[in-house]
């Protein structure tokens, strides 16, 4: 089998998996082949009314922060813990969506999303030795299923408070790009 055929099969597989998620109401935005996944539970004004996930001030701030950290502009994907109908994703569907997107870094924007991750990855988190990481406390990096995970603890709310913005920036500095895996 030629390299181009293999590439086409990988793309078709990814399209089918992502299409399956979308057909079940999963809301995503960005590059599905990126290493960085931003998980959002509390949808703000920029996320609602048919607008793209992270289209508001929080998305602009996150893009700027990740750019400063050295991530490529296209190296991000966003996922909501809410379906298009506004219902919470089941833990199984959240795990499936994260597995399909296969990030190396998971950034959890708010406590609603952190609670969903805690439920979906309860077994893996409970096996971590560091209690703060196991509880996904804001600013702590947890290694879960081969990915780094960090809860920012209310990113959108931090944008209106200069001190909280500095704290979140300090958190984000713990997540530099990992580089190529080869």
């Amino acid at each position: 089998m030629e390299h181009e055929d293999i590439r086409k099969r990988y793309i078709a597989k990814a399209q089918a998996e992502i299409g399956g998620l979308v057909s079940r109401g999963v809301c995503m935005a960005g590059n599905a082949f990126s290493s960085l996944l931003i998980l959002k539970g509390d949808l703000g004004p920029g996320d609602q009314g048919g607008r793209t996930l992270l289209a508001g001030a929080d998305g602009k701030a996150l893009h700027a922060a990740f750019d400063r950290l050295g991530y490529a502009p296209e190296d991000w994907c966003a996922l909501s813990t809410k379906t298009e109908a506004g219902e919470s994703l089941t833990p199984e569907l959240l795990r499936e969506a994260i597995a399909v997107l296969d990030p190396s870094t998971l950034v959890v924007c708010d406590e609603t999303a952190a609670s969903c991750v805690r439920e979906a990855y309860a077994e893996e988190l409970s096996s971590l030795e560091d209690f703060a990481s196991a509880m996904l406390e804001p600013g702590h990096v947890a290694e879960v299923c081969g990915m780094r995970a960090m809860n920012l603890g209310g990113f959108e709310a931090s944008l209106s408070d200069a001190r909280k913005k500095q704290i979140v920036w300090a958190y984000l500095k713990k997540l530099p790009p990992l580089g190529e895996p080869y």
Side-chain angles (χ1 to χ4, degrees), residues 66-136:
F66 289 122
D67 183 54
R68 281 189 65 198
L69 289 171
Y71 286 87
E74 70 282 354
D75 193 17
W76 67 274
C77 186
L79 174 67
S80 174
T81 63
K82 306 278 188 213
T83 66
E84 287 182 359
E87 299 169 357
S88 294
L89 297 181
T90 64
E92 297 79 20
L93 186 53
L94 178 60
R95 277 185 78 110
E96 180 182 343
I98 292 171
V100 165
L101 297 170
D102 192 27
S104 57
T105 303
L106 175 66
V107 175
V108 182
C109 288
D110 51 62
E111 234 0 87
T112 300
S115 179
C116 292
V117 172
R118 285 184 201 105
E119 187 175 355
Y121 292 93
E123 186 175 332
E124 292 83 358
L125 289 168
S126 69
S127 69
L128 298 178
E129 290 184 26
D130 178 52
F131 183 75
S133 296
M135 294 305 298
L136 283 180

Side-chain angles (χ1 to χ4, degrees), residues 148-171:
R148 303 179 296 179
M150 179 188 283
N151 176 12
L152 299 180
F155 181 78
E156 193 165 16
S158 75
L159 296 177
S160 60
D161 183 318
R163 185 179 157 291
K164 287 181 182 176
K165 276 196 318 194
Q166 289 178 335
I167 291 170
V168 170
W169 175 239
Y171 293 166

